[in-house]
Amino acid sequence: MCDAQRVTSESASPADPGAAPDTAALAKIVARQRAELDRLRDQTATSAVVERAKGVLMAQAGCSPDAAGEELLQRAKSARRTLLEECWITLGELRSPPRPDPAEPRPAGAGGSDGPPLTVPASGDTADEDDSAGPDDDFASLSRLGQALVHVGTPQELARCLLAHLASDVGADAVMLYRRLPAGGLELIGHAGVDDALAAQWSQVPPLSGIAALAALRAQEPRWLEDTDTDRERYLLIGDPPERWRSRAWLPVPSKNATDVCLGVLRTRGGPFTPPVRHLLRAVARLCAGLLRTIDDRQEPVIGTARAAQSVFSSLPGAALLLTPLRTPSGDVEDYRIDATTADAGDVLGRTEEDLVGRRILECVPGMADEELWHGCLRALTTGEPYESEPFAHQEVVAGTAGLAMYAVRAARLGNGLVVTWIRRESSDRQEQRLADVQRLGNLGWANWNLVTHEIGWSSQVFAIFDRDPAQGPIALADLPGHTLPEDAPTLARAVRELLGTGRPFDVPFRIRAGGGVRHLRAVAEAVPDVDGTPVEVHGFVQDVTALRSVELALVESEQAILTQHGVLRAERTLAARLQHALLPLPTRPVRLAGLRVEVAYLPAQSGLHVGGDWFSAIELPDGDALFVVGDVAGHGIDAVATMAQLRFTAKGMVITGSSLTGALARLNTLLLHSRDTHGTATMVLARYHPDERRLEWAQAGHPPPLLLRDGEVRYLGRPRGMLLGATGTPVFEEAECHLQPGDRLILYTDGLVERPTEGIDSGLERLAEAALTHHTDGPSTLAPLLAALLEGDGRDDVCVLDIRVPTEPA
């Protein structure tokens, strides 16, 4: 149950006696059925204790059920105790038996085919670990398991208990319990370590060949499945995939007559079950035999009586449960079993009526053991005095809509059990609590001014907003403007006069000094007139909007700062653009250089406020060769433009004065590394064209390769080695060459032409190649259609392109 919140409510009126069966008569029927149920339980209690004690002796000595029963009788007779007392002593102590004298003969029936218990190593992997163990160690795991089985009441609980103990002793990862049906198939009665979907899939097994559990029951011998590849050829293995458990053991659980229950132990690791592990699992199967017989013996009477009680509860109105206390051997209540329930109780606990019967209450409400309701039920069960809890909120779903409802729980003793009833409570206190929550969360409060009696009512939240002691009383409506800041008083005073004079409602913001600072408030009020239209009462609310106003002011300041910064950036862009245009003049038409036709295009970025550092150079050298350069400086703005100018003029000067292409790149790299005025890094392509040989020498520094179109085909030139300028002090640069032919077209470009934020560079290069083939023309302006096809929308980066054509020779 959730923590109860104390609220007050009026007591509910009794239900109409004619609207439901006579509760007193029904209670008498339930009491008689409870008495019959207690008699049946007492009758089966002795048998359950005896069978469990016999199971312990079977596990200890490896003997048959009859031999274990005879041993208990002999012990009771020798100690002058009753059989039941001796059984409880056996179950309570579960200590290791003394070492037997080798010369002393063993009791009849205490031998068995498996011999005495052996030590089981913790890992269960090797038999060599067994050498140093003694009988006391051999019995430790069985003692722990036997003590735990005393509190097991169902096959499902038995499976969970077995897995908890066998996981460390034999490395078990799952446990399954199957019962043989009269038709010959199997029914899954308990499982642990197996998910519900797989358990449902294998809940019913037909009597087929190749089922290991059936084979073990038919042969009355365990089946050890230790090699998945071999076992799958013989058996149908449980699991999805079957390799989930690489070793399995299926052991029949012995009984008085025909063995009908098979215990399955499944391990994720492979390998054989060692002799100590096999012996322990046989002993565990014998230990479970007595427990399973007591479960079978008591199942039918309990279910039958519970069904009779359920027939009575099904006709009762409201939400009620019939609980049977489940006690520890010392007599303490550790849980309650739900034996009957009304239909409405299923809605309260979030389960169906059929799903509740037979379950434990802590399974349905796990946190109840630590709450007042648990102790109240114990007091009602012990003293017989009914217990009723404080009202508490409970979330429920009605017609698909979730909502909170107030409930109180009442517990009353009936025979040896409890009848627990949920009482739904609806009161004005709940509405008041909701109103208080709204005022607190919205930081607002209501206010009323009676203009006739001069009575004033404020909620507690209004006093908190004004930081006013409630002992001082509320403020009169006409005096309210006097408590505001002087600059806000006239506006609020005018609104109050219009409200009192004409009944005009108002919604006015104002400020007050409170809480050590200034608070921004909002007052909303309207007048209630009499029959003549004269205002007689004013009601409204006051809200503290300081936090909202602070956010609004911060937003205005932020917007102003953004506008200022925007203007600075725009001015910087204008300056950088003018500087770039002065340093990088663009030709208005194609030019002729060393017999080549060269067209240049430069497109600045359309998004953002900064100018980029893309640049080009196309000049004819003194010896008649042509120099082509395309570069890109990292970053934007004035710094990038300045670095671009420095690199552009330095590169031309070094090549004109005789430097090789790679030598020029190396010196430019040094310039970027050691000059304080540079912008960091840059990429570049340097190309020198020799017209006599139509030979193009070129080198690059981290730049995309040139694109060559020839005879209707397109390819990128193979890039020689070259590193980003300004990245390292020991760069490596190499040259490559290409012989051009008449009609060739060579395109040098910056990365803004091919890069897009959502894709890699390879996609952009492929797109450029396809566009060059599609939009290849020989007109006066050959770059316009190509750029239009590639640059869709606003460009995110600057683009610089050199389109170089080799004229076709005359025929």
Short mmCIF file of all heavy atoms in Angstrom, two decimals, residues 37-61:
data_model
loop_
_atom_site.label_atom_id
_atom_site.label_comp_id
_atom_site.label_asym_id
_atom_site.label_seq_id
_atom_site.Cartn_x
_atom_site.Cartn_y
_atom_site.Cartn_z
N LEU A 37 -12.57 -26.02 6.89
CA LEU A 37 -11.23 -25.88 6.28
C LEU A 37 -10.15 -26.09 7.33
O LEU A 37 -9.14 -26.78 7.06
CB LEU A 37 -11.10 -24.48 5.66
CG LEU A 37 -9.73 -24.11 5.08
CD1 LEU A 37 -9.37 -25.03 3.93
CD2 LEU A 37 -9.73 -22.67 4.61
N ASP A 38 -10.31 -25.55 8.55
CA ASP A 38 -9.32 -25.73 9.61
C ASP A 38 -9.22 -27.20 10.02
O ASP A 38 -8.13 -27.71 10.29
CB ASP A 38 -9.68 -24.88 10.83
CG ASP A 38 -9.56 -23.40 10.53
OD1 ASP A 38 -8.82 -23.05 9.56
OD2 ASP A 38 -10.19 -22.58 11.22
N ARG A 39 -10.35 -27.90 10.07
CA ARG A 39 -10.32 -29.31 10.44
C ARG A 39 -9.53 -30.12 9.42
O ARG A 39 -8.72 -30.98 9.77
CB ARG A 39 -11.76 -29.85 10.57
CG ARG A 39 -11.85 -31.28 11.08
CD ARG A 39 -13.26 -31.80 11.01
NE ARG A 39 -13.70 -31.96 9.64
CZ ARG A 39 -13.37 -33.00 8.87
NH1 ARG A 39 -12.59 -33.98 9.32
NH2 ARG A 39 -13.81 -33.07 7.63
N LEU A 40 -9.79 -29.82 8.14
CA LEU A 40 -9.07 -30.54 7.09
C LEU A 40 -7.58 -30.24 7.13
O LEU A 40 -6.75 -31.12 6.91
CB LEU A 40 -9.65 -30.18 5.72
CG LEU A 40 -11.08 -30.66 5.47
CD1 LEU A 40 -11.59 -30.10 4.14
CD2 LEU A 40 -11.14 -32.19 5.44
N ARG A 41 -7.24 -29.00 7.41
CA ARG A 41 -5.83 -28.66 7.49
C ARG A 41 -5.16 -29.35 8.67
O ARG A 41 -4.01 -29.80 8.57
CB ARG A 41 -5.68 -27.15 7.60
CG ARG A 41 -5.94 -26.43 6.29
CD ARG A 41 -5.88 -24.95 6.46
NE ARG A 41 -6.10 -24.26 5.18
CZ ARG A 41 -6.52 -23.01 5.06
NH1 ARG A 41 -6.77 -22.31 6.15
NH2 ARG A 41 -6.68 -22.47 3.87
N ASP A 42 -5.83 -29.38 9.83
CA ASP A 42 -5.27 -30.08 10.98
C ASP A 42 -5.05 -31.56 10.67
O ASP A 42 -4.07 -32.17 11.11
CB ASP A 42 -6.19 -29.94 12.20
CG ASP A 42 -6.23 -28.51 12.71
OD1 ASP A 42 -5.28 -27.75 12.38
OD2 ASP A 42 -7.19 -28.15 13.41
N GLN A 43 -5.99 -32.15 9.94
CA GLN A 43 -5.89 -33.57 9.60
C GLN A 43 -4.68 -33.84 8.70
O GLN A 43 -4.03 -34.86 8.81
CB GLN A 43 -7.18 -34.00 8.91
CG GLN A 43 -7.20 -35.49 8.52
CD GLN A 43 -8.53 -35.85 7.87
OE1 GLN A 43 -9.49 -35.11 7.96
NE2 GLN A 43 -8.55 -37.01 7.23
N THR A 44 -4.42 -32.87 7.78
CA THR A 44 -3.30 -33.10 6.85
C THR A 44 -1.97 -32.58 7.39
O THR A 44 -0.92 -32.87 6.82
CB THR A 44 -3.58 -32.38 5.53
OG1 THR A 44 -3.75 -30.99 5.78
CG2 THR A 44 -4.81 -32.94 4.86
N ALA A 45 -1.99 -31.79 8.50
CA ALA A 45 -0.75 -31.21 9.02
C ALA A 45 0.22 -32.30 9.46
O ALA A 45 1.42 -32.26 9.16
CB ALA A 45 -1.05 -30.26 10.17
N THR A 46 -0.30 -33.29 10.24
CA THR A 46 0.57 -34.36 10.72
C THR A 46 1.18 -35.13 9.56
O THR A 46 2.38 -35.42 9.54
CB THR A 46 -0.24 -35.32 11.62
OG1 THR A 46 -0.77 -34.56 12.71
CG2 THR A 46 0.66 -36.43 12.14
N SER A 47 0.38 -35.45 8.56
CA SER A 47 0.90 -36.18 7.39
C SER A 47 1.96 -35.37 6.67
O SER A 47 2.98 -35.89 6.23
CB SER A 47 -0.25 -36.50 6.43
OG SER A 47 0.25 -37.11 5.26
N ALA A 48 1.76 -34.04 6.56
CA ALA A 48 2.74 -33.19 5.88
C ALA A 48 4.07 -33.19 6.61
O ALA A 48 5.14 -33.30 6.00
CB ALA A 48 2.20 -31.76 5.76
N VAL A 49 4.03 -33.07 7.96
CA VAL A 49 5.27 -33.05 8.73
C VAL A 49 6.00 -34.38 8.63
O VAL A 49 7.22 -34.45 8.45
CB VAL A 49 4.97 -32.69 10.20
CG1 VAL A 49 6.23 -32.80 11.05
CG2 VAL A 49 4.41 -31.28 10.29
N VAL A 50 5.25 -35.48 8.72
CA VAL A 50 5.88 -36.81 8.63
C VAL A 50 6.52 -37.02 7.27
O VAL A 50 7.65 -37.51 7.15
CB VAL A 50 4.83 -37.90 8.93
CG1 VAL A 50 5.40 -39.29 8.64
CG2 VAL A 50 4.37 -37.82 10.37
N GLU A 51 5.83 -36.64 6.21
CA GLU A 51 6.37 -36.86 4.88
C GLU A 51 7.62 -36.02 4.66
O GLU A 51 8.59 -36.46 4.03
CB GLU A 51 5.32 -36.54 3.83
CG GLU A 51 4.16 -37.52 3.77
CD GLU A 51 4.61 -38.93 3.42
OE1 GLU A 51 5.65 -39.07 2.77
OE2 GLU A 51 3.93 -39.89 3.80
N ARG A 52 7.64 -34.80 5.15
CA ARG A 52 8.83 -33.97 4.98
C ARG A 52 10.01 -34.54 5.76
O ARG A 52 11.15 -34.54 5.28
CB ARG A 52 8.55 -32.54 5.42
CG ARG A 52 7.57 -31.82 4.53
CD ARG A 52 7.54 -30.36 4.82
NE ARG A 52 6.53 -29.68 3.99
CZ ARG A 52 6.42 -28.37 3.88
NH1 ARG A 52 7.24 -27.59 4.54
NH2 ARG A 52 5.49 -27.83 3.12
N ALA A 53 9.76 -34.99 6.99
CA ALA A 53 10.83 -35.59 7.77
C ALA A 53 11.35 -36.86 7.09
O ALA A 53 12.56 -37.12 7.10
CB ALA A 53 10.33 -35.90 9.18
N LYS A 54 10.47 -37.66 6.52
CA LYS A 54 10.91 -38.85 5.78
C LYS A 54 11.77 -38.45 4.59
O LYS A 54 12.77 -39.10 4.27
CB LYS A 54 9.69 -39.65 5.31
CG LYS A 54 9.00 -40.39 6.44
CD LYS A 54 7.62 -40.91 6.04
CE LYS A 54 7.74 -41.95 4.94
NZ LYS A 54 6.42 -42.51 4.60
N GLY A 55 11.41 -37.36 3.91
CA GLY A 55 12.22 -36.90 2.79
C GLY A 55 13.62 -36.51 3.22
O GLY A 55 14.60 -36.74 2.51
N VAL A 56 13.74 -35.89 4.42
CA VAL A 56 15.07 -35.53 4.93
C VAL A 56 15.90 -36.78 5.15
O VAL A 56 17.08 -36.85 4.77
CB VAL A 56 14.93 -34.70 6.22
CG1 VAL A 56 16.28 -34.52 6.89
CG2 VAL A 56 14.31 -33.35 5.92
N LEU A 57 15.32 -37.81 5.81
CA LEU A 57 16.07 -39.03 6.06
C LEU A 57 16.41 -39.74 4.76
O LEU A 57 17.49 -40.34 4.62
CB LEU A 57 15.26 -39.96 6.97
CG LEU A 57 15.09 -39.49 8.43
CD1 LEU A 57 14.36 -40.55 9.24
CD2 LEU A 57 16.44 -39.21 9.06
N MET A 58 15.52 -39.70 3.76
CA MET A 58 15.83 -40.32 2.46
C MET A 58 17.05 -39.66 1.83
O MET A 58 17.90 -40.33 1.25
CB MET A 58 14.62 -40.21 1.54
CG MET A 58 13.44 -41.07 1.96
SD MET A 58 11.93 -40.65 1.07
CE MET A 58 12.43 -41.04 -0.61
N ALA A 59 17.13 -38.34 1.96
CA ALA A 59 18.28 -37.64 1.40
C ALA A 59 19.55 -37.92 2.19
O ALA A 59 20.64 -38.01 1.62
CB ALA A 59 18.01 -36.14 1.36
N GLN A 60 19.41 -38.05 3.52
CA GLN A 60 20.60 -38.28 4.33
C GLN A 60 21.19 -39.67 4.10
O GLN A 60 22.40 -39.81 3.89
CB GLN A 60 20.24 -38.12 5.82
CG GLN A 60 19.93 -36.70 6.26
CD GLN A 60 19.52 -36.63 7.71
OE1 GLN A 60 19.43 -37.66 8.39
NE2 GLN A 60 19.27 -35.42 8.19
N ALA A 61 20.33 -40.67 4.13
CA ALA A 61 20.82 -42.05 4.10
C ALA A 61 20.63 -42.73 2.76
O ALA A 61 21.11 -43.84 2.56
CB ALA A 61 20.13 -42.87 5.19
#
